[in-house]
Amino acid sequence: MKELVTFQVGSYANFIGSHFWNFQDELLGLLEDPQAHLVFKNQNLDMDVLYRTGETQQGMPTYTPRMISVDFQGSLGSMSSSGTLYNHNPSSSSRVATWTGNVSTQASEPHKKNLFLQRLYDEGQETNGSEILDTDVVKSLEDGVQFWTDFSKVHYHPQSLFELNGSWMNPQEFNNYGIGRNTLSEGLQGDEINERLRFFIEECDHVQGIQFMVDDSGGFSGVAASLLENIEDEYTNVPVLLYSVRSPNSYNNLTSRKLSITRNLHDAVSFSALSSLCKLIVPVGLPSLSESKVSQYLNVENEKPYQSSAVYASAIHSITIPFRMKKVGPTGESSNESGGMNLYECIQMLAGQGRQNSVAVLDAAMPPPSMAAGRFQQPLLGNLQPLTPETAHDVDDSQAIESLIVHGALGAGEHEASVSEVSEAVETEYESTSSRPRFSHLSLSRCPLPIPLPFPSIFNNLVGRRGDLLLTTPTESGSSSRRGSLDVHSIPMAARLRSTTAVLPFLENRLGYIRKFGIERGSIGASVLTSWGFGREEVEEIGENLSKMVLTLDPQQGYSSDDSD
Amino acid sequence: MSVRVLNPNAEVLNKSAALHMNINAAKGLQDVLKSNLGPKGTIKMLVGGSGDIKLTKDGNTLLKEMQIQNPTAIMIARTAVAQDDISGDGTTSTVIFIGELMKQAERCIDEGMHPRVIVDGFEIAKKATLLFLEKFKTPVVMGDEPDREMLKMVARTTLRTKLYEALADQLTEIVVNSVLCVRKPEEAIDLFMVEIMHMRQKFDVDTRLVEGLVLDHGSRHPDMKRRAENCHILTCNVSLEYEKSEINAGFFYSNAEQREAMVAAERRSVDERVRKIIALKDKVCKGTEDNFVIINQKGIDPPSLDLLARAGIVALRRAKRRNMERLVLACGGEAVNSVDDLTPDCLGWAGLVYEHVLGEEKYTFVENVKHPNSCTILIKGPNDHTIAQIKDAVRDGLRAVKNTIEDEAVVRGAGAFEVAARQHLVNEVKKTVKGRAQLGVQAFADALLIVPKTLAENSGLDTQDIIISLTGEHDNGNIVGLNQHTGDPIDPQMEGIFDNYAVKRQIINSGPVIASQLLLVDEVIRAGRNMRKPT
């Protein structure tokens, strides 16, 4: 059980993915950097889980993410869809080898590379004297990120980046499940993406699973559903962990009633379809990240996907850590990490036993409190706040199952706490909480989250250089209230997947939408659903599917259809 | 206008404005695609914002690449793309024909005719043209042995509009042979049984037909043979990797030994499957120099690969689902889903299996098969956009050959049909029509001439002269098309220029339908658009 394949479908999923791969790239860089801190040297994470080794036709070795990204045509900005590593003769390519007649060229205006990318690609080449400074780079990213490629420092394989075309519509109109389904069923685009997946899976000796991020706020959820159907067909026993992600912008208020009904129906249909096609679904994306409790030490601007996606990417990075811990020795224990498991085991634990609930809540503490004298200075469990929308607070669920990952936790005197220290501290906290979960799994690593240069400045001034929490604000607080990669080099992280009744409101809302707008006789949304290709029976099936999910968590509830919203 | 009362934000275009909006969109789209048409057309190179290049001379591809926003243009584009889906070609012709119908209609409307009358004329003319096409087409007898020369001429006509002559002629042979290879008597031709593979190589463009199959992956074990002769081929869909069964929850074993025992048991069942395959190999290859190759749709993990390699078997994993079908058609045998009932009858045969490596890309060739009913067209090109363009052309060529076999007819090309149909409409049909609908018939007839006109224009010839000389010849009873080099009339039959019957029929069918719909629009209402903007 080894390799993971990553899917990123839709614009916001690619923003998150871009940050995610930046972290991995940073970890790889630190592993080779002689000056890097010891925890990064001994990280003991198996990067081959996420990356593949390859070779260009010229014999250059390559190491690229095992990833497929799907997005609109033109969403790659200045990056070529065939990546940067495998093109060696761009000069000869402008010759037309297949036609001797006239050639007419239509060139769109090239996208200008921003300062960050300019510096990235000029490395090793003679620059004309003008060195680009870190501060300028950070500033240019703060103001001008338009595409997810603008802040990506990773080289991708040519099979990785797929641009969806031929849809003849504005991205704004690509806003529902039905449209996405149709786009992929026309032509050969679906086949082409499935071929690329096959390319990556064929190389794997023993694939442990697929992590799938989808921006499910619009048509891409339909695209994802088609792709997931193929995965279920072709790779039946390969488990899929699905993150359905949403940017804060997707929650913008809609003025017209018709549009908001469409939106609600989309939410219900999309969730029902996606959840039935994966082993575990994790809805991610708060309507207002900046005002949520997660942002205790953060200063995020909701309207910038560049900033908000960094938070979700950090949490998702933490969740993947146990999947790639190297097994050391017969007991699997080492002084640097513990609690490794593979994706299958993780899903099996959360969704495969007890209630068989396949929806999980993602929580994060960014950063978690430091430790002193064998315990956390503030309660860690209390600091973990949900990144999943529409969850209930303070639920008392004796059946809850959770998987907690803490990595890079700091101990006294700014040293990383040892694995056993953290493990004991967490145990103590579980002992003392009132609502202890039925089962919990703990994964620990000493390796913190490195903050790469293109990470947005989203920390507030309580966060120190190594993610330690400063108890007093620095005196010159006027200078800048937001700190980024120049001031913070790494942070500890804690993240948790929870199978709990706290997710009930999320499910109930969706069930309410489909009942109110789709199933009830003469409901307003029936025509919308028909236009997406759902017959009456299929709509009822969606309703049943959702109500089954609710009943799984809350068997007592005889759900009545009139208490929605 | 009453919409305004209901919704003050709605934008309304009145009758003539709506009509002109539609006509202009159709003309605009026509202008873009016009220069594509024919063997003298212009190839288009599209360079994206990041420097990505797309190369196309195919209307279908071009329409898909263009970010069309105008709603009328989208309607036309959808019709044209549907044309391609149904008949495999004729996208450009559809678009320019619709554009020309709209243009001719505009003239009549400017003179005060009602669109309804024109539409009626279109309808009459369309029916008459379809009838005429039935008479005009050249029947081709497709018995057990199809007329190769005829198929080649059709394929060449299509390919020469997409690729330069020498390359097109090389592909003609390949395309025809591959369709004939997958053709089975009494069954519809399944073009998916022709695999199209590509390889990127440094300089030249080269394409060849492999009678057999080319797979885009190789064996994953260093000890397996890279080249094997006289191979028994086992095509299967059997998991040869260790998988956890769904029931047991991974980590609730009470101790490590128990876990180990479970793992070992799972492993044993995989090994058992591998052993059954090895047993079959020993049975069929015993005492001979024959080789044994497994091509599996599911995974094969390293321990299983090890076992197979030690037994001298070459194994490929994760083959394409479609290749399972193709392999059986190419090599014989059958695809098996379980190793329980393996018999030597399940096996196929190939004279030669070898691997070709290019950087990280591996290709496995399965060749010298006995009675191939599946084959592979292997395209080599220097870069992605060249390969993509050749691929598109090959697909069109395959469709053209398939259409010919299924239609059992072809249509004389080089504009001959359009001129003949036009003369037929003007000289015969128009007289039988009463009243003003005559003008609609005339408009339709003139619109047909856009095809020869555009062909002439793209060759740099004088369109008026050409049309006059062509119609003159037709009135004298000679069926002629346009020689694009000289501008002289030629006999398409002599030159071997033939178009697909299905394509022509589809164009005549769908063009007027969409044009009529657009002409009958008398009000365009845009409600909702303004409401969505945040105020």
Side-chain angles (χ1 to χ4, degrees):
Chain A
M1 288 291 181
K2 212 176 135 194
E3 300 92 343
L4 271 175
V5 182
T6 307
F7 248 113
Q8 298 163 197
V9 179
S11 138
Y12 197 61
N14 279 311
F15 267 87
I16 294 181
S18 186
H19 281 301
F20 178 83
W21 294 110
N22 277 352
F23 295 142
Q24 315 313 324
D25 196 60
E26 192 73 10
L27 282 174
L28 282 170
L30 288 166
L31 199 59
E32 278 161 19
D33 183 357
Q35 279 150 27
H37 197 278
L38 214 57
V39 282
F40 294 114
K41 298 248 160 230
N42 298 332
Q43 52 182 269
N44 221 352
L45 293 178
D46 187 355
M47 283 311 212
D48 291 346
V49 169
L50 293 168
Y51 277 73
R52 68 180 287 279
T53 318
E55 185 189 327
T56 64
Q57 286 201 1
Q58 283 69 30
M60 285 266 296
T62 62
Y63 200 52
T64 49
R66 190 178 295 113
M67 182 277 277
I68 299 169
S69 144
V70 181
D71 208 338
F72 278 127
Q73 193 167 30
S75 62
L76 291 174
S78 59
M79 191 189 279
S80 157
S81 65
S82 52
T84 37
L85 291 174
Y86 287 74
N87 299 346
H88 281 272
N89 46 353
S91 54
S92 70
S93 62
S94 55
R95 197 172 56 91
V96 180
T98 48
W99 194 245
T100 44
N102 296 335
V103 180
S104 77
T105 307
Q106 290 174 354
S108 18
E109 198 177 322
H111 287 291
K112 213 169 164 302
K113 284 195 161 75
N114 63 21
L115 283 180
F116 169 67
L117 294 175
Q118 277 176 34
R119 197 173 75 164
L120 194 65
Y121 290 105
D122 286 348
E123 249 168 43
Q125 289 172 18
E126 255 342 281
T127 43
N128 43 1
S130 58
E131 191 70 21
I132 303 169
L133 297 170
D134 280 356
T135 44
D136 293 337
V137 167
V138 170
K139 188 150 179 356
S140 88
L141 284 176
E142 281 309 304
D143 303 332
V145 167
Q146 199 186 349
F147 305 104
W148 65 266
T149 51
D150 285 349
F151 58 94
S152 169
K153 66 194 197 97
V154 182
H155 290 293
Y156 294 101
H157 191 268
Q159 299 271 12
S160 280
L161 309 176
F162 187 86
E163 292 180 283
L164 210 59
N165 76 11
S167 42
W168 294 325
M169 65 189 92
N170 295 318
Q172 296 85 9
E173 289 163 22
F174 193 70
N175 62 359
N176 65 63
Y177 183 82
I179 276 186
R181 274 311 280 237
N182 290 338
T183 308
L184 214 60
S185 63
E186 284 167 15
L188 299 166
Q189 302 199 86
D191 282 357
E192 162 96 43
I193 303 174
N194 293 333
E195 262 311 294
R196 292 182 179 210
L197 174 63
R198 203 196 116 248
F199 168 82
F200 285 113
I201 289 201
E202 194 270 333
E203 301 178 326
C204 299
D205 276 338
H206 206 158
V207 61
Q208 67 165 294
I210 295 172
Q211 55 170 345
F212 202 115
M213 296 178 223
V214 51
D215 182 345
D216 81 329
S217 61
F220 279 107
S221 72
V223 172
S226 301
L227 298 176
L228 286 166
E229 267 170 25
N230 170 64
I231 292 173
E232 204 173 45
D233 255 25
E234 290 278 305
Y235 315 103
T236 317
N237 289 323
V238 177
V240 178
L241 170 59
L242 182 80
Y243 299 97
S244 63
V245 300
R246 271 177 193 216
S247 88
N249 291 336
S250 70
Y251 290 92
N252 284 346
N253 280 330
L254 295 167
T255 42
S256 111
R257 178 162 162 73
K258 182 160 181 255
L259 286 178
S260 77
I261 289 175
T262 311
R263 161 87 55 92
N264 287 341
L265 278 174
H266 165 79
D267 286 355
V269 169
S270 155
F271 179 75
S272 165
L274 293 177
S275 62
S276 63
L277 290 166
C278 66
K279 292 278 186 311
L280 185 68
I281 183 167
V282 187
V284 176
L286 299 169
S288 174
L289 183 63
S290 62
E291 286 152 33
S292 71
K293 288 186 186 156
V294 188
S295 302
Q296 201 179 353
Y297 302 108
L298 305 176
N299 197 342
V300 183
E301 289 173 63
N302 279 334
E303 60 280 5
K304 287 192 178 164
Y306 167 55
Q307 297 194 353
S308 58
S309 59
V311 177
Y312 301 131
S314 310
I316 290 176
H317 167 78
S318 303
I319 297 292
T320 64
I321 283 188
F323 304 151
R324 45 200 170 120
M325 285 180 182
K326 283 181 189 154
K327 295 263 190 296
V328 189
T331 52
E333 296 300 319
S334 96
S335 60
N336 286 318
E337 76 282 308
S338 76
M341 58 180 165
N342 62 40
L343 185 68
Y344 175 82
E345 289 167 333
C346 173
I347 290 176
Q348 195 65 30
M349 174 176 71
L350 288 165
Q353 42 180 338
R355 290 183 300 205
Q356 309 257 329
N357 159 42
S358 64
V359 192
V361 176
L362 176 65
D363 301 311
M366 188 176 173
S370 308
M371 298 202 355
R375 46 186 300 231
F376 289 101
Q377 286 170 333
Q378 294 164 29
L380 170 72
L381 296 175
N383 265 20
L384 281 164
Q385 293 295 341
L387 295 174
T388 300
E390 301 167 56
T391 50
H393 299 291
D394 305 323
V395 286
D396 187 15
D397 181 7
S398 58
Q399 302 274 305
I401 303 170
E402 47 186 66
S403 164
L404 174 65
I405 296 108
V406 183
H407 61 110
L410 292 169
E414 294 211 1
H415 282 290
E416 302 79 34
S418 75
V419 164
S420 55
E421 258 181 294
V422 182
S423 145
E424 270 163 38
V426 173
E427 193 51 40
T428 323
E429 277 206 27
Y430 271 125
E431 300 274 325
S432 58
T433 50
S434 53
S435 55
R436 200 184 164 155
R438 180 159 166 243
F439 183 81
S440 64
H441 178 267
L442 179 64
S443 304
L444 298 166
S445 165
R446 291 181 74 185
C447 179
L449 177 76
I451 301 296
L453 182 68
F455 193 87
S457 304
I458 54 168
F459 297 109
N460 69 16
N461 51 18
L462 290 173
V463 179
R465 193 176 178 78
R466 300 189 48 205
D468 40 327
L469 297 175
L470 310 173
L471 298 174
T472 52
T473 37
T475 42
E476 32 179 348
S477 59
S479 61
S480 128
S481 61
R482 294 171 53 202
R483 316 183 63 170
S485 49
L486 299 177
D487 314 297
V488 180
H489 288 183
S490 67
I491 57 163
M493 273 298 290
R496 172 172 71 175
L497 284 177
R498 240 185 333 154
S499 164
T500 160
T501 52
V503 80
L504 267 174
F506 180 89
L507 299 176
E508 283 164 356
N509 284 342
R510 271 141 194 83
L511 179 58
Y513 297 150
I514 194 80
R515 287 210 167 143
K516 191 161 153 206
F517 304 126
I519 297 178
E520 266 175 42
R521 265 199 201 278
S523 54
I524 327 161
S527 63
V528 176
L529 288 169
T530 318
S531 73
W532 295 351
F534 290 101
R536 171 119 204 124
E537 272 174 26
E538 287 155 298
V539 174
E540 270 162 14
E541 218 168 89
I542 294 172
E544 256 166 50
N545 184 18
L546 288 170
S547 80
K548 210 188 287 166
M549 295 174 88
V550 170
L551 285 176
T552 308
L553 287 173
D554 195 356
Q556 276 88 40
Q557 189 170 0
Y559 191 81
S560 62
S561 59
D562 39 52
D563 69 287
S564 52
D565 288 12
Chain B
M1 283 298 128
S2 46
V3 183
R4 282 291 178 95
V5 182
L6 304 173
N7 177 355
N9 285 328
E11 282 174 38
V12 180
L13 291 176
N14 69 9
K15 193 168 164 181
S16 71
L19 198 56
H20 282 107
M21 185 191 94
N22 283 343
I23 291 173
N24 285 335
K27 287 202 293 199
L29 207 55
Q30 186 198 37
D31 275 347
V32 176
L33 292 195
K34 215 166 146 182
S35 61
N36 274 1
L37 193 76
K40 289 274 177 182
T42 306
I43 199 165
K44 295 217 162 44
M45 185 190 272
L46 308 171
V47 186
S50 56
D52 279 354
I53 298 173
K54 289 254 164 62
L55 208 56
T56 182
K57 215 184 143 285
D58 187 42
N60 183 35
T61 318
L62 192 61
L63 283 176
K64 284 185 174 165
E65 290 299 326
M66 281 194 294
Q67 304 287 323
I68 302 174
Q69 299 290 336
N70 180 303
T72 313
I74 289 180
M75 266 177 83
I76 299 173
R78 279 197 194 286
T79 320
V81 170
Q83 160 87 29
D84 191 85
D85 287 347
I86 295 166
S87 60
D89 205 349
T91 331
T92 310
S93 307
T94 308
V95 169
I96 64 171
F97 184 46
I98 293 172
E100 195 61 18
L101 283 170
M102 299 295 280
K103 218 190 252 179
Q104 297 293 340
E106 184 185 28
R107 258 192 15 218
C108 300
I109 290 164
D110 285 347
E111 285 164 15
M113 262 177 86
H114 193 275
R116 182 81 248 172
V117 183
I118 302 174
V119 168
D120 289 343
F122 279 4
E123 187 58 32
I124 297 167
K126 181 182 113 180
K127 280 192 186 136
T129 312
L130 287 172
L131 279 177
F132 179 71
L133 177 62
E134 292 303 319
K135 275 194 297 181
F136 186 83
K137 72 181 182 189
T138 313
V140 184
V141 184
M142 289 294 156
D144 291 339
E145 278 298 310
D147 182 351
R148 272 190 110 83
E149 283 311 307
M150 182 54 90
L151 295 180
K152 270 202 222 161
M153 285 189 273
V154 177
R156 186 160 52 226
T157 309
T158 306
L159 287 168
R160 279 199 182 170
T161 66
K162 318 276 176 194
L163 303 168
Y164 71 89
E165 273 191 33
L167 187 57
D169 293 352
Q170 188 204 353
L171 278 172
T172 302
E173 192 78 36
I174 292 175
V175 161
V176 172
N177 285 343
S178 52
V179 176
L180 292 179
C181 172
V182 300
R183 175 174 182 255
K184 285 189 263 180
E186 310 295 315
E187 264 179 64
I189 296 170
D190 185 0
L191 287 184
F192 279 122
M193 290 306 113
V194 180
E195 166 79 309
I196 304 176
M197 255 300 159
H198 66 265
M199 268 187 202
R200 258 212 310 183
Q201 62 172 31
K202 282 217 178 81
F203 299 107
D204 56 325
V205 175
D206 178 32
T207 303
R208 78 179 178 102
L209 178 70
V210 179
E211 299 212 328
L213 217 58
V214 182
L215 309 163
D216 60 354
H217 50 126
S219 65
R220 290 269 168 204
H221 195 282
D223 296 344
M224 284 180 185
K225 285 187 184 165
R226 299 285 171 254
R227 183 187 171 90
E229 282 170 22
N230 298 332
C231 305
H232 297 276
I233 311 270
L234 174 64
T235 312
C236 60
N237 184 13
V238 177
S239 171
L240 296 178
E241 64 182 357
Y242 161 64
E243 279 165 1
K244 284 211 174 94
S245 48
E246 291 279 330
I247 322 118
N248 72 78
F251 26 73
F252 298 121
Y253 304 106
S254 47
N255 57 44
E257 286 86 54
Q258 212 174 335
R259 186 191 159 107
E260 291 298 312
M262 276 298 278
V263 171
E266 291 276 351
R267 183 72 247 172
R268 262 203 303 280
S269 74
V270 178
D271 290 349
E272 195 52 40
R273 269 172 260 161
V274 176
R275 254 180 229 113
K276 279 188 182 151
I277 293 171
I278 295 175
L280 179 69
K281 188 250 171 184
D282 290 342
K283 194 166 152 195
V284 295
C285 298
K286 201 174 178 197
T288 64
E289 289 289 292
D290 291 1
N291 282 295
F292 197 90
V293 178
I294 303 175
I295 298 169
N296 192 2
Q297 193 185 337
K298 292 251 167 60
I300 308 178
D301 63 7
S304 300
L305 284 173
D306 255 346
L307 285 175
L308 293 168
R310 249 179 280 155
I313 296 176
V314 180
L316 275 79
R317 67 188 178 200
R318 302 278 180 204
K320 276 185 214 175
R321 175 183 290 195
R322 259 196 199 116
N323 277 347
M324 297 287 104
E325 252 178 282
R326 292 182 185 133
L327 272 167
V328 170
L329 286 173
C331 310
E334 56 183 287
V336 295
N337 291 315
S338 143
V339 291
D340 292 336
D341 33 44
L342 281 180
T343 62
D345 294 341
C346 306
L347 299 175
W349 174 264
L352 178 63
V353 175
Y354 64 97
E355 199 176 285
H356 181 88
V357 183
L358 273 177
E360 65 179 35
E361 289 157 39
K362 284 185 180 176
Y363 299 88
T364 303
F365 289 71
V366 180
E367 286 193 78
N368 297 354
V369 297
K370 272 179 196 147
H371 305 289
N373 283 311
S374 173
C375 57
T376 305
I377 297 177
L378 181 65
I379 299 168
K380 294 182 187 169
N383 45 43
D384 291 340
H385 57 264
T386 306
I387 291 171
Q389 206 226 331
I390 299 177
K391 235 184 213 183
D392 283 344
V394 165
R395 285 212 183 92
D396 286 350
L398 290 172
R399 288 293 293 268
V401 176
K402 176 181 187 243
N403 285 342
T404 312
I405 295 177
E406 289 179 349
D407 295 343
E408 304 203 318
V410 289
V411 179
R412 278 160 279 182
F417 167 68
E418 283 77 9
V419 178
R422 191 256 182 188
Q423 294 311 92
H424 171 72
L425 287 175
V426 173
N427 297 342
E428 318 276 334
V429 180
K430 201 172 143 193
K431 290 170 196 153
T432 65
V433 178
K434 290 201 185 73
R436 288 192 296 170
Q438 276 194 3
L439 291 174
V441 176
Q442 179 74 45
F444 188 98
D446 289 341
L448 283 172
L449 287 183
I450 187 65
V451 174
K453 268 188 197 164
T454 310
L455 288 175
E457 200 179 314
N458 287 345
S459 313
L461 301 165
D462 187 283
T463 49
Q464 296 301 330
D465 289 353
I466 299 291
I467 294 302
I468 290 168
S469 80
L470 286 181
T471 49
E473 288 284 337
H474 275 266
D475 286 342
N476 292 335
N478 301 327
I479 308 261
V480 292
L482 170 69
N483 182 329
Q484 299 221 7
H485 300 288
T486 61
D488 296 331
I490 45 159
D491 180 359
Q493 189 126 29
M494 294 294 289
E495 300 290 322
I497 303 171
F498 289 102
D499 287 332
N500 269 153
Y501 163 75
V503 174
K504 286 279 182 243
R505 216 176 78 100
Q506 190 59 29
I507 295 170
I508 303 297
N509 239 326
S510 62
V513 172
I514 198 84
S516 303
Q517 275 176 8
L518 292 173
L519 286 172
L520 290 177
V521 170
D522 63 356
E523 218 170 52
V524 174
I525 303 163
R526 269 187 204 156
R529 174 158 291 195
N530 286 358
M531 292 145 63
R532 205 183 291 178
K533 283 181 200 153
T535 42

